[in-house]
Amino acid sequence: MKYTIDKKENYTIITIDEKKLDTSIAPDLKSEFVKLNAEGITSLILDLSNVKYTDSSGLSSILIANRLCNSSSGLLILTGLQDHVMKLITISKLESVLNILPTVEEAIDRVFLHEIEQDLTNKED
C-alpha cells in the first residue's frame, strides 16, 4: 500500500496514494490505524483525493478508524472524496456518521475547533 503519514502535534494526516481502497489495501490500512491509535494519536485526517474507488472492505477500515478516534475523544475527518467514494458512503447512510470536509485545510481547522470544544467541556465538569 502506498501512503504518506504526516504527524503533527494535534493531528496526523494520512494520504492514500492508491486509486483503489479495496481488499488488497484495507487490512494494511486497518493495522496502521490501530498502530497510530496505540501511539496515542487521537485525531486523523484521511486524505482520499487520489482514491477513485472503494469497496466495503475499504469502508470498513474507515469505520474502524472512526471508532478508534471517537473512543479516544478525537476525530476522524475524511477529505478529498471522489464521486464513487462519496456515493458508497451515501448509499451506506454513513454521511451522518463520518466527518467529511472538502479540503485538508478545513479538516485541520475542524480538529482545532474540536480541541477547543473538548477543553471547554472539560472545564465545565
Side-chain angles (χ1 to χ4, degrees):
M1 178 175 84
K2 293 183 279 186
Y3 63 97
T4 57
I5 296 180
D6 185 11
K7 293 181 182 178
K8 303 292 185 187
E9 184 178 339
N10 300 349
Y11 59 89
T12 296
I13 301 171
I14 300 175
T15 304
I16 307 295
D17 294 320
E18 299 275 357
K19 297 277 184 224
K20 294 181 177 181
L21 177 53
D22 57 14
T23 55
S24 63
I25 294 171
D28 292 338
L29 189 57
K30 287 178 189 178
S31 297
E32 192 62 44
F33 290 145
V34 170
K35 187 177 104 184
L36 290 168
N37 185 261
E39 291 174 10
I41 293 170
T42 60
S43 291
L44 294 173
I45 298 170
L46 187 58
D47 182 359
L48 298 173
S49 53
N50 298 321
V51 177
K52 307 282 186 228
Y53 171 84
T54 189
D55 63 7
S56 59
S57 63
L59 197 54
S60 172
S61 66
I62 291 169
L63 290 171
I64 286 172
N66 193 54
R67 190 174 329 115
L68 289 168
C69 290
N70 286 341
S71 68
S72 57
S73 298
L75 280 178
L76 170 71
I77 303 174
L78 306 179
T79 67
L81 297 184
Q82 302 296 317
D83 289 342
H84 180 274
V85 177
M86 190 63 210
K87 197 175 292 184
L88 181 62
I89 289 171
T90 303
I91 289 169
S92 304
K93 303 212 182 292
L94 293 171
E95 68 274 10
S96 62
V97 173
L98 298 170
N99 296 296
I100 302 169
L101 290 171
T103 66
V104 170
E105 292 75 21
E106 289 174 274
I108 292 168
D109 289 344
R110 181 64 184 99
V111 168
F112 284 111
L113 180 61
H114 177 75
E115 288 185 356
I116 291 168
E117 291 169 347
Q118 292 287 89
D119 288 345
L120 290 173
T121 301
N122 292 339
K123 286 180 182 173
E124 291 174 1
D125 291 341

